[in-house]
Amino acid sequence: MKTKSAPALDATKVLRQALSRWENEGGWLKSEPYDPGVDIPDLTNVEILHLRVRLIALENLMIAVLAEGSDRQRQMACDMAAYISPRSGFTPHVLTVKAADHMTDLVGRAAQFRTVR
């Protein structure tokens, strides 16, 4: 049985939309209900510790994926980091700048694990 495929999305357009949303709204989608008056409990020390462990694991997994990935994938990661870095006419956000620097650092760390083929 033949199925209809979804229309191809312009990857550049999708990437720009996703990154601009993340940069401006912390990844929050307008379709999601958001009530700034909702009381969100603070994280406990144990929860923060678990988040740190998971973050370290995710960073190391990304390094492994980038190390075995194509040159185009590593270049895309660098391009994304450059895209979210401060541009003229935009106000730089400290955490965004640090995230972009960290992305570039992860690509560099992955280069140390590249295997010669």
Side-chain angles (χ1 to χ4, degrees):
M1 179 165 113
K2 195 172 190 177
T3 59
K4 292 182 181 179
S5 61
L9 297 174
D10 179 10
T12 304
K13 182 178 178 182
V14 172
L15 175 65
R16 287 185 190 275
Q17 287 175 337
L19 289 175
S20 67
R21 185 177 66 241
W22 184 261
E23 185 174 290
N24 296 331
E25 301 156 8
W28 173 70
L29 297 171
K30 297 223 183 299
S31 61
E32 295 175 356
Y34 177 71
D35 182 359
V38 171
D39 202 18
I40 301 172
D42 291 334
L43 294 173
T44 66
N45 286 339
V46 171
E47 290 171 323
I48 292 171
L49 177 64
H50 283 272
L51 286 173
R52 286 181 178 170
V53 169
R54 289 177 178 144
L55 180 61
I56 291 167
L58 285 171
E59 285 182 348
N60 285 303
L61 284 171
M62 281 307 308
I63 290 168
V65 168
L66 287 167
E68 289 296 319
S70 68
D71 290 337
R72 174 145 168 57
Q73 289 168 322
R74 285 185 297 284
Q75 185 60 51
M76 174 61 76
C78 290
D79 291 347
M80 288 176 68
Y83 180 78
I84 64 172
S85 293
R87 297 175 303 281
S88 64
F90 289 87
T91 304
H93 186 271
V94 175
L95 294 178
T96 302
V97 172
K98 286 183 179 186
D101 291 342
H102 196 64
M103 288 170 65
T104 304
D105 180 61
L106 288 174
V107 173
R109 290 168 57 193
Q112 297 174 10
F113 294 96
R114 296 275 301 154
T115 55
V116 179
R117 298 171 206 238

